[in-house]
Amino acid sequence: MISRSVSTLLLLAGATLILLPFLWMLSLSLKPQDEIFASTIALFPSRLEWGNYVKAFTETNIPLFLWNGFVVVAGILFFQLLFSIPCAFALAQRNFRLRTVVFGLVLAALLVPFHVTAIPIFLGLAAVNLLDSYAALILPFIPTAFGIFLFRQFFAQMPTELFDAARVDGLSETAVVWRIAFPLALPAATAFAIFSVTAHWNDLFWPLIATTSPEIATPPRGILYFRDQESGDDVGPLMAGAVIITAPLVLAFLFAQRKFLQGLAAGGLKG
Amino acid sequence: MNAIPTLELGDVTRRFGEQTVLDSISLAIPPGSFTSLLGASGCGKSTTLRIMAGLDRPTAGAVRLEGQEVSALTAHERNIAMVFQSYALYPHLTVAQNIALPLTMKSLSAFGRLPLLGTLIPGTAAARKEIQTKVSAAAEMLGLSHLLDRKPGTLSGGQKQRVALGRALVRDPVLFLLDEPLSNLDARLRVQMRAELVALHRRTGKPFVYVTHDQAEAMAMSDQVIVMIKGSIAQAGTPRELYERPTSLAVAEFVGTHAINLITPQQGAGEILSSAARAILGVRPEHVVPAPHGSFIAKLRSVEYLGSEIVLTLCTEQGVELKSIAPGTFEPPLQGDSVRLSFDPTCTHLFHPETGARIGAPECRS
């Protein structure tokens, strides 16, 4: 009983520490301008100032940033799945020369952080004139060693007879991948999608390097413009913007909490 | 019969690296036949089946399907159905969808298979209706009608086996391949499914190739048994031929419910049967019976009473262990007593002591 309440207390303390900045953000986004810089600290605003949100939505490019974020994240995920699933299937369930070598290369690629390859990729994109476009934001992330590895491990556990049965039943190799292997790999795909979407929605590093036009800025990149140019010290709308940008992921997590945890477990990756 | 065999393997060899798994296999599956590939595990029988199905390619040799060379065709280009030992049902599809999948792949175009768009393609609705009719017919034949909406995970072993059979039946293939389909079932169900398989074979009229390591299964169901030993065909023939005229010692040891008695020349084979003086003598236990005027004597070691028959374990004067099967009504003497035994010389087999090949012996006609 005592140990239980102690651990609950510790959890609460930890949660408060992590949540405090978010709560402060939420609080500021709902405060009127004069209360934000008041000398006393008040967590709750005296009255709810929705004007910050109206301003964020109407006088800034936040809707556009959200749309850009959606396009980039969906584009990355779609092409990642399109290529990594057949690759992983071939690595797990087909015999070909140099298979182990190829898998070794995939594992080696897992060890290389993106920041190492960022400059060559930047130069490559510059050479083919693709910088500052959706393509520049999507292309570099399509080859995913992590995705190939995750799906390969998943497919390797599946019985080969299942795929042989499908081949005998008249499915071509492509049909085997998409009609049999992919539906069975949905738990792994969910886990992968969560990692991919979170990482690329929140990514600031690469959009900062590869794009300059505000028209294709993703949310984290966009909010920088917002701070620099449009609002200056207009903290209320800035915080409202931050809330709006964080919201999709938080809501998605709350609604799909069970799937999220299942996905983590299925991927064998405990966070 | 001079008809073209449904499937023919000509000198098929399969090597995995250095290891030769199949060594120049030649066999023919006549139309409408029930052929068993019989052998211990690792003898290459499953590899043979996979080569027939197109799941594996021979290193050398020809695979002819209805007279056409098909060894370059992949599995989905041959119209062959296969039932797997693990059933290999698609866990994410219902029973009905599992059975329908081969038909869906055959009769609907890639666009027609799409969930919503498909209905817009002309002919799709008619094709879907036909698939449904065929699926329900197959399900009815196998007694699965009430399970069509279930997922495979909720079915028992026997039910899964039936679904796997249904998936094979529904598409009207030229040949059925069955890879130890009964080995995961319990003993009673196995005997029941055995009879159902034979009935199914009759009803379809299509040739079946059945892989098994259980000689009783092979003998009971087939009209052709191919015994494979270490990647080669040891003997092919009717069950009766295998039992009555095994061409080698290895086949004689493999076939038969009770292991055959073998007596080498050093152990006094010549004293028991004069023609066996320089050969290994093989006599099946069921052909050695206690008889008051039997030609030789052995000491009784132990008795197994099985109801319909009694298995006697005996020891000859030279110390060779023998098995004998007496009718269930036989009153065995006490252990350690001497028993006179007789056998029909025409029911014996002689094998070359070194090569194990059969040497001319009178054919058993009992």
Side-chain angles (χ1 to χ4, degrees):
Chain A
M1 190 63 199
I2 290 172
S3 74
R4 202 185 154 80
S5 39
V6 167
S7 56
T8 312
L9 269 176
L10 280 175
L11 267 177
L12 267 177
T16 317
L17 212 62
I18 291 170
L19 284 177
L20 201 60
F22 290 95
L23 288 176
W24 193 241
M25 170 179 82
L26 199 63
S27 155
L28 285 187
S29 76
L30 291 167
K31 276 181 182 169
Q33 178 81 21
D34 52 329
E35 269 181 52
I36 292 175
F37 294 106
S39 53
T40 53
I41 291 176
L43 188 58
F44 296 101
S46 61
R47 60 181 175 89
L48 295 180
E49 175 56 67
W50 295 105
N52 291 333
Y53 283 88
V54 175
K55 207 170 170 189
F57 261 117
T58 53
E59 288 176 31
T60 70
N61 280 330
I62 279 191
L64 176 68
F65 299 154
L66 290 175
W67 169 248
N68 287 339
F70 173 76
V71 169
V72 168
V73 162
I76 290 175
L77 182 64
F78 175 79
F79 286 107
Q80 279 179 332
L81 293 176
L82 187 69
F83 292 112
S84 65
I85 287 180
C87 285
F89 182 80
L91 282 174
Q93 293 286 349
R94 289 188 63 88
N95 278 313
F96 53 91
R97 263 153 38 98
L98 301 180
R99 180 169 82 158
T100 28
V101 176
V102 173
F103 187 52
L105 288 175
V106 171
L107 288 181
L110 261 181
L111 302 176
V112 181
F114 177 72
H115 307 81
V116 172
T117 51
I119 297 205
I121 288 174
F122 177 85
L123 294 175
L125 287 171
V128 291
N129 237 344
L130 276 177
L131 282 178
D132 205 16
S133 66
Y134 278 142
L137 291 173
I138 294 173
L139 280 177
F141 301 103
I142 292 173
T144 159
F146 173 65
I148 295 175
F149 173 73
L150 186 75
F151 287 116
R152 192 218 90 112
Q153 297 309 88
F154 207 79
F155 290 143
Q157 291 166 12
M158 291 185 185
T160 311
E161 278 199 349
L162 198 61
F163 304 117
D164 281 342
R167 290 177 186 125
V168 173
D169 278 347
L171 275 73
S172 67
E173 215 60 15
T174 327
V176 170
V177 170
W178 294 113
R179 293 183 73 95
I180 307 296
F182 176 58
L184 292 175
L186 269 183
T190 316
F192 177 72
I194 288 162
F195 285 115
S196 169
V197 167
T198 328
H200 297 298
W201 182 269
N202 292 334
D203 186 29
L204 176 60
F205 173 76
W206 183 248
L208 205 52
I209 292 179
T211 66
T212 46
S213 332
E215 295 80 55
I216 56 159
T218 56
R221 176 73 190 91
I223 214 160
L224 285 186
Y225 291 116
F226 190 46
R227 192 196 62 194
D228 295 343
Q229 297 147 17
E230 290 171 34
S231 318
D233 55 354
D234 204 353
V235 176
L238 173 66
M239 285 300 136
V243 170
I244 292 166
I245 281 159
T246 330
L249 282 189
V250 173
L251 288 179
F253 174 75
L254 288 181
F255 279 116
Q257 200 172 10
R258 255 187 51 200
K259 271 261 179 290
F260 191 97
L261 295 176
Q262 273 172 0
L264 290 180
L269 299 146
K270 302 202 171 70
Chain B
M1 269 205 298
N2 289 325
I4 306 171
T6 303
L7 186 110
E8 216 180 345
L9 298 185
D11 286 318
V12 164
T13 298
R14 179 70 173 104
R15 287 191 205 92
F16 292 116
E18 294 286 288
Q19 201 188 357
T20 304
V21 180
L22 293 181
D23 190 9
S24 194
I25 300 274
S26 294
L27 58 85
I29 311 295
S33 67
F34 196 121
T35 303
S36 288
L37 291 179
L38 176 64
S41 53
C43 72
K45 55 192 194 306
S46 287
T47 309
T48 310
L49 204 69
R50 290 173 59 82
I51 285 175
M52 289 179 178
L55 293 170
D56 200 352
R57 302 282 169 84
T59 314
V63 183
R64 281 182 290 273
L65 194 61
E66 295 182 313
Q68 303 277 323
E69 168 66 42
V70 294
S71 41
L73 295 186
T74 55
H76 78 274
E77 294 165 315
R78 309 177 187 188
N79 187 15
I80 291 180
M82 186 157 169
V83 176
F84 292 84
Q85 185 176 359
S86 65
Y87 320 127
L89 302 179
Y90 312 121
H92 60 298
L93 301 179
T94 65
V95 168
Q97 288 167 330
N98 260 285
I99 298 178
L101 189 68
L103 288 179
T104 323
M105 296 311 292
K106 201 158 77 173
S107 57
L108 294 183
S109 66
F111 287 114
R113 292 196 291 265
L114 293 174
L116 277 172
L117 270 176
T119 49
L120 302 174
I121 312 278
T124 304
R128 281 208 183 277
K129 193 146 205 177
E130 201 190 319
I131 290 173
Q132 209 160 22
T133 322
K134 283 187 182 167
V135 169
S136 11
E140 189 146 343
M141 197 195 279
L142 294 161
L144 291 168
S145 301
H146 58 295
L147 300 171
L148 283 176
D149 295 325
R150 299 257 292 268
K151 291 272 174 75
T154 65
L155 303 180
S156 71
Q159 287 167 336
K160 282 183 193 164
Q161 186 59 72
R162 278 163 211 269
V163 176
L165 280 173
R167 198 170 61 185
L169 269 177
V170 76
R171 48 194 277 221
D172 197 28
V174 293
L175 177 67
F176 286 88
L177 305 177
L178 302 105
D179 190 1
E180 309 214 15
L182 306 185
S183 57
N184 285 353
L185 303 178
D186 63 58
R188 271 188 64 191
L189 202 54
R190 206 178 308 160
V191 174
Q192 186 196 337
M193 285 301 284
R194 213 195 265 179
E196 283 187 34
L197 273 180
V198 172
L200 212 57
H201 171 244
R202 274 213 201 98
R203 194 156 3 161
T204 58
K206 295 287 164 61
F208 276 43
V209 179
Y210 188 93
V211 162
T212 181
H213 60 263
D214 180 347
Q215 62 87 29
E217 245 173 42
M219 301 285 272
M221 297 197 286
S222 328
D223 32 56
Q224 175 181 226
V225 178
I226 295 170
V227 182
M228 294 188 63
I229 292 168
K230 289 186 189 143
S232 301
I233 292 181
Q235 188 174 359
T238 63
R240 185 176 287 264
E241 278 166 7
L242 291 189
Y243 182 78
E244 293 180 352
R245 275 188 73 82
T247 55
S248 68
L249 193 58
V251 175
E253 282 181 292
F254 208 92
V255 171
T257 312
H258 301 283
I260 193 167
N261 294 311
L262 296 170
I263 305 159
T264 60
Q266 294 79 23
Q267 292 169 324
E271 290 160 42
I272 295 171
L273 189 74
S274 56
S275 62
R278 261 168 291 146
I280 296 177
L281 172 66
V283 195
R284 297 196 181 278
E286 49 270 41
H287 297 140
V288 182
V289 282
H293 306 292
S295 56
F296 70 103
I297 299 175
K299 278 210 171 80
L300 186 63
R301 277 251 188 92
S302 65
V303 175
E304 270 177 69
Y305 178 73
L306 299 176
S308 63
E309 58 189 29
I310 299 174
V311 182
L312 307 174
T313 307
L314 306 121
C315 191
T316 66
E317 284 163 350
Q318 281 84 7
V320 186
E321 197 181 87
L322 279 186
K323 295 257 186 192
S324 156
I325 298 197
T329 50
F330 177 72
E331 290 284 346
L334 292 175
Q335 282 181 23
D337 280 5
S338 292
V339 183
R340 270 200 170 273
L341 297 164
S342 84
F343 61 89
D344 182 350
T346 61
C347 287
T348 57
H349 312 274
L350 298 182
F351 301 102
H352 193 281
E354 274 119 46
T355 63
R358 181 183 187 86
I359 21 190
E363 200 164 327
C364 178
R365 294 216 178 276
S366 63

